[in-house]
Amino acid sequence: MRSIILTLVLIFFYQWAFAQTLIKGKITDTSGEPLPGVNVYLKNTYDGISTGTDGSFTFKTPETGSQILVATFVGYQASELPIEIKGAVQEINLKLKEVQSELNTVTITAGAFEASDEKKSVILRPLDIFTTAGANADITVAFQTLPGAQRVGDSEGLFVRGGSANETKTIIDGTVVENPFYSNTPDVPQRSRFSPAFFKGTSFSTGGYSAQYGQALSSVMVLNTKDLPDSSKTDIGLMAAGGYVSRTQRWNKTSLFAEGIYTHLGPLFKLVPQNVEWLKVPQSAGGTVVFKHKPTEHSIFKVYSNYTRSQSGLRYRDFENIDQENSFYLINNNIYVNTSYQHAFGEGKWVATAASSYSYNHDDIDISTDHTTRFEERTQARGTLSRTVGENSSILAGAEIHQYSFGNSFNEYKNELQDTYVAGFVESDIYLTRKLAARIGIRTEHSQLIDNYAIAPRTSLAYKTGDYSQISFAFGQFYQSPENRYLFTNRRLNFEKADHFILNYQLMKNRRTFRAEAYYKDYTRLAREHDQFPYDPNRFRQPTENTDNSGYGYAQGLDIFWRDQQTFKNADYWVSYSFLDTKRNYQNFPTEAMPSFASRHNVSVVYKQFFTAISSMVSVTYNFASGRPYYNPNADQFMSNFTKPYHGINASISYLTHIKDHFTVVFASVNNVLGTQNVFGYRYSLDGSRRQEIGQAATRGIFVGMFISIGAGFEP
């Protein structure tokens, strides 16, 4: 797995380091007066900035070729200027014309909190993900450094504001990804399947998200794939833990990318001591094919496909009795295919999109003498049509349909179910005055399996309090089917429900951002068990038939975020803090309690420094999380004991150079530099007299490597 991580990181450094163009200039009104706070960015990217007090702007971008530079400001007509990016430095000056109409945008466009969800969400560019120490080029781990998300070291997934990983959905080009993570194994968290290098931007909403999406009680992570690449090239990588070969071929309006990769972590496990007894060292083989075609200037067609086969084996202590050791062997096969088409017409006022996807995931598992399988298969189709109205307002309508099959088996026992899920949605951005905007939407959903309907209203408001600041409020209702294991035993359950209330303040000025956001989530209709059995902490267990939707809970808190890209030269840092108060009475909980995946306080500090004189990038990350509750059978109160706090310091350095005219990166990273012994929970013996820690798979992660690109070189 680490070879995949290194490959992704180095490839991205290769593309980024020598392909940055500096774009600078000044924005004035028609009389020549400078305009501060103008949002300047490249269309369909996340590259941009707000102008300073003198109207000037400066930002870097890895984009090349034909682009559109956009400038928007309250009370002025938006400007879209076609430009040709050819590297080096480009200076562009623009004049904006004042608009007499009261219908004007009140929002900050580039990566801000707005009336619309996608603009008020926290946005990270792929570069941020690749260069964050400890993220290991994993999208979800990078987002764990942002407010509202937390690190859960013994399980994969994105845990947002007191919600479980099951409450967050991953979306690629509008369609749901059914299995965004490698298949789970006991106490060893798995990484995301997708490389940030394939996406031109990743958007993470911590709540109150758009009516375009559903079936997620807490959050959505939206990924949009890149358009046509700039040129053809071939990359070859040989590393201690495997290798890969990829080819990108670019024609006039078409491109094709193909990659094959193989990894075997045995050599790395010899270098880094493991706390897990591996019975079969993790290994995987797979391939990716990406096709893109631009039939007209205003349309594009994309196909993304990936296949992976992976296997591993380990020994772990039984969930219910630490005196019993179990062997665990896993073989996973995963297929994902996504197609999308977008077309703009009517002078760009109309935009139509169509997308489809297919996901298939199958696990063969042997646990000691027992054999089990699990599979999921989803086919989805989706379409939207949007229309710009006036200067800034718009309306969008769409629909989607899913055919979903899932099942599992345990020795001779088998379960398998199918569901047809349909949804429709309408959403409108309305600009009321120069300082006030709203997004109003509604979504309808129906599940054939549980024969349940839902109508989910969504509303967001934003008010501009100054040239650089605004406040926003969002309310929404969100529905989700119960976990599959509950549907096997009871198909009379209803959608689970969460109501979101969010109040946000944001200030963006001089490449600095401050955000503070308070929220409240009200959970109702959660799946709940009513059998009089002792609490079982095994998250893989199967519930009985005595279930209903009487579960409930809440989550409330405060998130604070500060990012500064201005104070220190060639440096970028951010600090995030989250306070969480949450309790639930659901599943097999005997009473209302804080769930074991939640922690009350989370802090992340990320610092990055690029040294131009030696062509090197250094990144350091510190993560803190207060203790998480765990089940102690000897305690008087349920979930009343807490683990010790989590601490982690991660560091990485990359040195960029050439070897015989071939671009080369020397890369080194260390996770958990201080070797902190973090604990994520405990398991107990049957009589409760002894316990065992649930800790990290490895105390430290260390890697040193080198990547050489042959052909398609760049000059610094």
Side-chain angles (χ1 to χ4, degrees):
M1 189 65 67
R2 286 189 175 274
S3 64
I4 298 177
I5 296 168
L6 177 68
T7 298
L8 298 177
V9 172
L10 299 182
I11 288 175
F12 195 82
F13 267 115
Y14 166 63
Q15 296 175 338
W16 167 77
F18 297 133
Q20 290 282 292
T21 297
L22 181 68
I23 297 179
K24 66 178 184 179
K26 189 173 184 178
I27 309 295
T28 64
D29 62 16
T30 53
S31 64
E33 290 296 315
L35 294 176
V38 178
N39 305 298
V40 186
Y41 61 97
L42 294 180
K43 193 172 185 178
N44 296 323
T45 78
Y46 296 114
D47 298 330
I49 199 171
S50 296
T51 58
T53 55
D54 61 351
S56 64
F57 67 90
T58 301
F59 68 90
K60 291 182 179 181
T61 178
E63 305 293 336
T64 59
S66 298
Q67 302 290 334
I68 296 178
L69 184 70
V70 181
T72 62
F73 189 53
V74 174
Y76 290 80
Q77 288 184 352
S79 172
E80 294 193 3
L81 177 67
I83 62 175
E84 192 73 21
I85 299 180
K86 299 179 179 179
V89 179
Q90 292 187 228
E91 185 168 350
I92 301 169
N93 299 316
L94 292 174
K95 290 187 177 182
L96 299 185
K97 182 180 179 180
E98 189 170 7
V99 178
Q100 299 303 317
S101 169
E102 288 296 311
L103 296 177
N104 296 287
T105 178
V106 302
T107 55
I108 299 173
T109 304
F113 288 86
E114 291 194 23
S116 63
D117 166 75
E118 59 195 328
K119 297 298 192 316
K120 78 176 182 62
S121 56
V122 178
I123 296 178
L124 288 185
R125 294 178 299 156
L127 175 61
D128 295 316
I129 297 169
F130 278 105
T131 57
T132 298
N136 297 330
D138 189 320
I139 297 172
T140 57
V141 178
F143 278 130
Q144 288 172 2
T145 66
L146 297 176
Q150 69 177 67
R151 183 177 295 268
V152 179
D154 57 333
S155 179
E156 63 280 344
L158 199 53
F159 296 77
V160 179
R161 291 180 171 173
S164 68
N166 183 58
E167 296 174 21
T168 298
K169 289 292 186 291
T170 300
I171 312 290
I172 293 182
D173 288 340
T175 63
V176 173
V177 181
E178 186 57 40
N179 304 98
F181 299 92
Y182 286 91
S183 293
N184 54 10
T185 58
D187 305 332
V188 180
Q190 304 299 305
R191 64 178 283 108
S192 170
R193 295 182 183 273
F194 302 101
S195 163
F198 288 111
F199 307 104
K200 59 187 176 185
T202 59
S203 176
F204 165 48
S205 170
T206 50
Y209 59 85
S210 166
Q212 294 187 56
Y213 312 114
Q215 289 295 292
L217 290 181
S218 288
S219 171
V220 292
M221 183 170 64
V222 181
L223 311 176
N224 294 308
T225 57
K226 292 181 177 179
D227 296 332
L228 289 174
D230 298 320
S231 60
S232 301
K233 67 173 184 174
T234 300
D235 289 306
I236 299 174
L238 296 174
M239 289 151 288
Y244 76 95
V245 59
S246 69
R247 172 65 181 174
T248 301
Q249 184 66 44
R250 168 68 193 265
W251 295 279
N252 183 27
K253 296 182 178 181
T254 306
S255 70
L256 180 66
F257 170 86
E259 179 186 64
I261 187 168
Y262 172 76
T263 62
H264 190 292
L265 300 191
L268 293 181
F269 283 177
K270 293 181 180 179
L271 176 66
V272 181
Q274 298 291 300
N275 299 326
V276 173
E277 182 184 353
W278 292 100
L279 302 176
K280 188 174 187 60
V281 174
Q283 52 191 282
S284 66
T288 300
V289 176
V290 182
F291 174 80
K292 300 173 184 176
H293 178 61
K294 204 170 172 60
T296 70
E297 186 65 27
H298 305 290
S299 59
I300 188 167
F301 174 71
K302 305 176 186 177
V303 180
Y304 173 92
S305 60
N306 175 268
Y307 169 74
T308 305
R309 177 182 173 86
S310 60
Q311 49 188 323
S312 62
L314 55 82
R315 196 180 306 279
Y316 72 98
R317 296 282 182 178
D318 190 79
F319 290 103
E320 301 175 17
N321 181 14
I322 64 170
D323 294 323
Q324 177 181 327
E325 286 190 335
N326 298 323
S327 60
F328 180 94
Y329 290 92
L330 167 68
I331 298 176
N332 169 256
N333 286 277
N334 180 272
I335 300 172
Y336 177 73
V337 181
N338 173 291
T339 65
S340 63
Y341 177 75
Q342 178 175 300
H343 177 66
F345 59 97
E347 298 181 343
K349 293 183 177 181
W350 291 89
V351 177
T353 68
S356 64
S357 65
Y358 174 76
S359 302
Y360 177 78
N361 191 80
H362 189 276
D363 294 326
D364 271 302
I365 303 172
D366 288 305
I367 304 176
S368 297
T369 59
D370 297 312
H371 180 72
T372 182
T373 65
R374 56 193 181 197
F375 84 92
E376 292 179 273
E377 184 176 29
R378 181 183 295 271
T379 303
Q380 177 182 357
R382 169 188 171 96
T384 66
L385 181 65
S386 62
R387 173 68 158 87
T388 300
V389 181
E391 287 289 332
N392 301 299
S393 297
S394 64
I395 186 169
L396 177 146
E400 60 187 82
I401 182 170
H402 303 240
Q403 187 66 45
Y404 179 45
S405 302
F406 56 96
N408 60 30
S409 69
F410 183 79
N411 296 327
E412 69 273 19
Y413 302 101
K414 294 183 179 180
N415 290 304
E416 184 174 340
L417 292 174
Q418 291 185 344
D419 186 24
T420 299
Y421 166 84
V422 295
F425 48 89
V426 178
E427 195 166 60
S428 181
D429 285 341
I430 305 171
Y431 294 86
L432 303 170
T433 71
R434 294 188 177 208
K435 293 187 175 183
L436 180 64
R439 167 171 279 189
I440 300 173
I442 191 167
R443 182 182 179 90
T444 62
E445 302 174 313
H446 176 257
S447 167
Q448 183 184 55
L449 178 62
I450 58 178
D451 192 22
N452 196 215
Y453 292 88
I455 298 177
R458 317 273 173 88
T459 301
S460 301
L461 298 172
Y463 179 75
K464 196 168 182 64
T465 57
D467 290 340
Y468 306 99
S469 61
Q470 71 170 50
I471 59 173
S472 60
F473 170 79
F475 162 78
Q477 293 184 340
F478 304 87
Y479 295 88
Q480 184 172 347
S481 296
E483 292 183 29
N484 291 346
R485 56 180 177 154
Y486 285 96
L487 298 179
F488 286 134
T489 58
N490 185 359
R491 275 168 269 175
R492 298 182 302 276
L493 293 173
N494 296 319
F495 286 134
E496 298 178 321
K497 182 184 177 185
D499 293 340
H500 293 198
F501 302 86
I502 301 170
L503 181 64
N504 164 269
Y505 172 78
Q506 174 176 276
L507 174 67
M508 294 183 68
K509 184 178 181 180
N510 296 332
R511 303 185 71 195
R512 299 182 180 96
T513 300
F514 172 77
R515 296 188 184 105
E517 186 164 280
Y519 63 90
Y520 179 80
K521 284 197 295 187
D522 181 32
Y523 288 98
T524 55
R525 296 167 47 172
L526 300 181
R528 187 179 177 191
E529 303 170 37
H530 292 281
D531 292 301
Q532 301 300 314
F533 298 129
Y535 175 75
D536 182 358
N538 180 7
R539 60 190 177 99
F540 297 104
R541 65 182 182 80
Q542 293 297 320
T544 63
E545 296 182 7
N546 192 11
T547 58
D548 61 20
N549 284 98
S550 62
Y552 59 91
Y554 72 89
Q556 59 187 358
L558 175 68
D559 294 336
I560 296 176
F561 178 72
W562 166 259
R563 186 171 187 177
D564 183 358
Q565 298 172 282
Q566 178 68 27
T567 302
F568 306 109
K569 185 178 180 181
N570 296 324
D572 177 15
Y573 74 91
W574 67 78
V575 180
S576 65
Y577 167 75
S578 297
F579 167 75
L580 170 67
D581 172 27
T582 183
K583 285 186 177 181
R584 295 185 180 196
N585 190 354
Y586 79 136
Q587 296 187 358
N588 63 336
F589 274 32
T591 187
E592 187 180 43
M594 187 174 181
S596 61
F597 52 76
S599 54
R600 192 171 295 274
H601 303 279
N602 283 267
V603 178
S604 290
V605 181
V606 177
Y607 183 85
K608 305 174 187 179
Q609 181 76 52
F610 187 74
F611 299 93
T612 55
I614 57 174
S615 299
S616 298
M617 166 76 80
V618 174
S619 176
V620 179
T621 300
Y622 170 70
N623 296 300
F624 166 84
S626 58
R628 289 161 44 191
Y630 65 90
Y631 173 64
N632 180 353
N634 303 307
D636 294 332
Q637 295 183 345
F638 179 64
M639 290 292 187
S640 59
N641 295 98
F642 289 79
T643 64
K644 63 182 181 181
Y646 173 94
H647 296 272
I649 297 177
N650 310 303
S652 66
I653 182 170
S654 303
Y655 171 60
L656 289 63
T657 185
H658 285 81
I659 296 178
K660 293 185 178 181
D661 296 326
H662 300 306
F663 177 74
T664 303
V665 177
V666 179
F667 179 85
S669 68
V670 181
N671 289 355
N672 195 18
V673 174
L674 301 181
T676 306
Q677 299 293 326
N678 291 304
V679 176
F680 308 120
Y682 296 91
R683 292 201 182 97
Y684 283 80
S685 60
L686 287 176
D687 61 4
S689 62
R690 288 169 292 109
R691 70 180 187 180
Q692 183 185 30
E693 295 179 350
I694 303 172
Q696 301 163 126
T699 303
R700 289 186 180 88
I702 302 173
F703 195 85
V704 178
M706 183 171 65
F707 169 79
I708 301 175
S709 180
I710 300 174
F714 288 89
E715 292 299 326

